[in-house]
Amino acid sequence: MKHQISIIIPILNEGPYIGKLLEHLLANSSVKNISEIIVVDGGSIDESQDIVQSFVNFNKGRKEAYHYIDTTVLETKPTPKQAIKTQIKLLNSEKGRAKQMNLGAKTSTGNILYFLHADSLPPKHFDRLIINEVKNKNQAGCFRMQFDSKHWWLRLASWLTKFSWRACRGGDQSQFITKKLFDNIGGYDESYTIYEDNILINTLFSRKQFVVINKKIRTSARLYKKHGIWKLQYHYWSIYVKSWFGATADELFAYYKKYI
């Protein structure tokens, strides 16, 4: 069976990140493994849509869609003017990552879904790593994580993500899942405005359908820098504990909105 990945990226005002991410994905994957990249916008008022549309427009009207990589924005340098045939789509959705990601999944054509945050850069050959896991009958999982920060706590938190512990999981580590399993679960729970990643992960852990790939996805520590590391970590722990003790989706969002 041939496996292909649909990459789904929910965005809302991600102008500083989305262009670099698209370049990174094109430079670090193989055309044959990627069915499409689907960017789902939840109502951005910055330049996010214009940036994504520039990728889409470049490929319009071509028999085979090519994108030429701007090597200046990449850590991993491809061959200059590297041509990559990858279809990029821009969709508009109601605000809410769960709604945005479900819409992307609904329109996808690949048999593997890969959900990715706009400020996270997956490892080189991420596509091959994911497909190898699916071939080994692991239907869902994530990468271990590395924050773009040298703070000792964030370095420790990053190191802990290599273990297959439920408490160490989160959406920033990205999420791959076969489309068949995603549909069977029912997708993301759209009643959750936040914490939707963790709700899906809880379901996967309960089914013993989760694996951690021992390669690092590099993610931004921007919220920690904005709110302060200990303050934000306290609120994240509070949300986790509240969910553990049965807090509703609305209660979690109300807490998040008040403190974060």
Side-chain angles (χ1 to χ4, degrees), residues 239-250:
I239 290 170
Y240 180 85
V241 171
K242 285 177 180 294
S243 176
W244 184 268
F245 282 101
T248 66
D250 289 340

Side-chain angles (χ1 to χ4, degrees), residues 43-56:
S44 294
I45 57 174
D46 69 350
E47 70 273 28
S48 296
Q49 286 214 18
D50 292 337
I51 293 170
V52 178
Q53 194 63 49
S54 70
F55 283 79
V56 176

Side-chain angles (χ1 to χ4, degrees), residues 210-229:
F210 204 92
V211 65
V212 179
I213 301 174
N214 193 26
K215 294 290 182 180
K216 296 176 182 177
I217 182 169
R218 185 174 175 85
T219 194
S220 171
R222 55 179 168 166
L223 281 181
Y224 285 98
K225 294 172 184 176
K226 179 181 178 180
H227 296 285
I229 288 174

Side-chain angles (χ1 to χ4, degrees), residues 9-14 18 39-44 48-49 52 100 118:
I9 308 165
I11 64 169
L12 181 64
N13 299 325
E14 294 289 0
I18 188 59
V39 181
V40 190
D41 186 78
S44 294
S48 296
Q49 286 214 18
V52 178
Q100 291 169 241

Side-chain angles (χ1 to χ4, degrees), residues 190-208:
E190 295 186 5
S191 67
Y192 284 84
T193 307
I194 65 161
Y195 213 66
E196 73 291 329
D197 295 305
N198 297 73
I199 298 301
L200 181 70
I201 292 169
N202 286 346
T203 302
L204 293 171
F205 264 79
S206 69
R207 295 183 177 215
K208 302 188 185 305

